[in-house]
Amino acid sequence: MNLVLLYQDDFVSEGLVRLSGRRLEHIRSVHRVKVGDELTVGLLDGKIGKGRLLTLANDCLEMQVELKETPPAKLPLTLVLALPRPKVLNRVIAAATSLGVSRIYLVNAWRVEKSYWKSPRLAEENLLLQRLLGLEQAKDTQLPELHLRRLLRPFAEAELPDLAAHTLALVAHPGALEPCPRNLEQPVTLAIGPEGGFIPAEIELLVRSGFQAVDLGPRILRVETAVAALVARLF
Ligand code: SAH
């Protein structure tokens, strides 16, 4: 972690935090800190700054923190992502968070295996943890929204038109006639398909909801690579 995320509950008094558990273990084993050392810290959904280690014991550490800087700006980007298979899910959520995505919708699609929706990785707790890890990686504090939508059609008909409105709404689809645009300034809503891709009826549904299909070139990328390539190209 390049930044230690802090929560309001960590504060034992003004400017003094006490940490245990995952963050303590990580700071101890990876940062190998000693009393007096400084670490980059940030308050969840708040400012970032420095923390100076005051005490380090087996079960907790204490830091004096000063939080003055604003976190990096989020991208004006909503991702609509066909639910990836469980092994890939954690990486995709953490990477999308690190890249600065503002909002993520995990949606169903024809080629999403039903069993993926039963994965324990979809537990609220895990989806939060992956976003926290993504924030810590990118020195960010602003948690992206994450929503699950288990039925694509009602979501596409009831919610997607509003999400797409006032944004450039794109669906990445290999072989689409339009190339994916570059270096945009405006907000974007971006749909990315499952490993097997969106089926034609889903592309039509998305187009009816205001999306345009765009192509990234002749190489078919894995979902996690496609997310990174698309974000880097769009902004
Ligand atoms: N098997 C599918 C590809 C799925 S790749 C096929 O051959 O069509 C998973 C998702 O990543 C796609 O649905 C798309 O959203 C995105 N993607 C990967 N490579 C892409 C490319 N070259 N152009 C556009 N989208 C791409």
Side-chain angles (χ1 to χ4, degrees):
M1 61 173 94
N2 295 308
L3 169 146
V4 181
L5 261 186
L6 307 173
Y7 318 117
Q8 292 291 0
D9 283 359
D10 297 326
F11 284 82
V12 288
S13 62
E14 172 99 29
L16 183 71
V17 295
R18 192 173 292 153
L19 308 185
S20 58
R22 175 182 71 83
R23 292 167 297 164
L24 169 67
E25 286 316 314
H26 187 93
I27 290 170
R28 245 223 291 247
S29 57
V30 180
H31 292 278
R32 295 169 178 275
V33 285
K34 51 187 191 314
V35 168
D37 285 354
E38 279 200 336
L39 292 168
T40 301
V41 297
L43 179 63
L44 185 62
D45 288 321
K47 296 207 161 171
I48 64 181
K50 290 286 173 201
R52 197 165 53 81
L53 197 64
L54 298 179
T55 64
L56 180 60
N58 281 340
D59 57 345
C60 82
L61 64 76
E62 287 181 329
M63 276 193 285
Q64 187 73 50
V65 302
E66 199 179 33
L67 304 169
K68 289 197 166 155
E69 297 151 49
T70 46
K74 285 274 193 255
L75 298 176
L77 174 61
T78 297
L79 262 192
V80 176
L81 197 64
L83 181 67
R85 85 180 121 112
K87 254 183 114 169
V88 178
L89 178 70
N90 283 356
R91 289 204 295 275
V92 175
I93 300 295
T97 303
S98 290
L99 287 162
V101 170
S102 296
R103 192 157 49 166
I104 303 167
Y105 283 85
L106 292 174
V107 303
N108 197 25
W110 183 255
R111 294 198 175 121
V112 170
E113 278 186 32
K114 295 248 174 327
S115 63
Y116 296 176
W117 287 103
K118 297 204 177 91
S119 167
R121 294 195 183 190
L122 281 178
E124 186 79 29
E125 217 178 18
N126 179 60
L127 295 175
L128 176 61
L129 175 64
Q130 299 314 318
R131 283 177 292 159
L132 296 177
L133 293 173
L135 291 179
E136 289 177 338
Q137 169 63 38
K139 291 194 174 184
D140 191 2
T141 62
Q142 294 170 269
L143 193 69
E145 285 176 32
L146 192 146
H147 307 281
L148 304 183
R149 296 290 184 267
R150 283 162 203 259
L151 296 171
L152 182 62
R153 183 169 291 274
F155 170 65
E157 288 172 353
E159 294 184 74
L160 266 187
D162 285 343
L163 284 177
H166 313 299
T167 75
L168 183 63
L170 305 172
V171 47
H173 191 52
L177 296 178
E178 285 295 317
C180 181
R182 297 174 187 271
N183 302 328
L184 300 172
E185 304 276 340
Q186 80 226 75
V188 174
T189 308
L190 173 67
I192 299 183
E195 260 171 72
F198 284 123
I199 61 171
E202 289 168 339
I203 296 293
E204 281 164 30
L205 183 64
L206 289 166
V207 167
R208 279 202 300 281
S209 305
F211 284 70
Q212 182 180 17
V214 293
D215 176 65
L216 257 188
R219 295 171 194 275
I220 306 292
L221 305 174
R222 280 177 190 266
V223 173
E224 62 263 47
T225 313
V227 170
L230 284 158
V231 169
R233 177 155 162 161
L234 290 170
F235 295 99

